[in-house]
Amino acid sequence: TGAMHDITDRKQAEEALRASEQKLRALIDSQTTYVIRTDLDANYRYWNPKFEQVFLSESDIKGPEGISALDTICDYHIDRVIQAVEQCVQSPGTVVQIEFDKPDIHNNTRATLWDFVCLPDENGQPYELQGIGIDITDRKEAEAALIRSEKRYRELFELHNLPKLIVNPQSGMIVDANPAARNFCSCDAVANGIYAELETGDPEAINQRLKDAVHRPGTIWSVEHRCSDGSQSTIEVYVSTVADADDTLLYLILVDVTEREQAKQALEQANAELEQHVMERTQQLTYSKQRLQAIFDASTDGVVVAHSQEGIQDANAGFLRQFGYDNLAAVAGRPMSDFAASLDSKV
């Protein structure tokens, strides 16, 4: 005799389990992230297709067994990975995050970010490591470029010998000042962080000018400025804008033009004095000419002004009467030789 058992439910459960495993593996294999599993000695047990595509050469694709994960990490990051693995093994089930660089199949270095966890066996003992990673190369390169840019800006700002300020136009507060500005500007104003205290004008008008400058970058102000030694100087402020996370800030470059303004004023004064002298001399010459003209016209003797080439240029009334003419036009331009005989006979 034999006994029969209905194993339909078991078969259905096995089919459901296989379907679930296939679905899970397909999900893992289709990931755009990197998925790996290793033993406690960091030897690969599994990698997904994305990891294989990026990091493994054809000679590695024989299978994960026997390949150490440490051999596929840049030397300078191996110690940090070993420390992370030890931390995972000491605390199974706890996720440990770590960044490290890996060479890809083209020998380019890729920055990666990983979440590792140590899974226990049925007895609760550490069994294997599982990791999910993403490529952060672009982010790291962007961060490095930002750091380089910040360094260049900081050097350009800090080391320049012209005073420079970063000012919030809405609050009127000084956000940053380079060493040259701290040496040149009023110490109290820089310490208090209030831009309006650097100028001698009305604070409300100064603050309004700061707000208006946001919409007019490239403006140049000419203002009276309080210096660190308590004196005042004339400065030109070259205004531009810089974007902050939340606000638009003003980037101000201060140029001391006191000596230039003094030279300009001295030149303007010298020009004014010269113009006054010229005007006075012109008046004197005009007066002398008028006196000479009066003497010329009033003389009863004949007086004539003649040019050797162009003849008579002027003649007084006495000359005209002497030769019987009524007006200057009758003798103008004629040579003196025309009148020589008459003159000799009159003598």
Side-chain angles (χ1 to χ4, degrees), residues 42 70 73 77-88 98:
L70 298 179
I73 297 171
H77 281 165
I78 288 179
D79 288 343
R80 73 164 58 173
V81 174
I82 292 175
Q83 292 175 3
V85 169
E86 292 174 348
Q87 187 177 349
C88 287
I98 181 175

Side-chain angles (χ1 to χ4, degrees), residues 286-308:
T286 301
Y287 178 69
S288 297
K289 181 179 178 181
Q290 290 172 346
R291 289 184 61 189
L292 290 173
Q293 188 67 44
I295 295 172
F296 179 82
D297 292 339
S299 177
T300 57
D301 295 328
V303 182
V304 66
V305 178
H307 189 275
S308 60

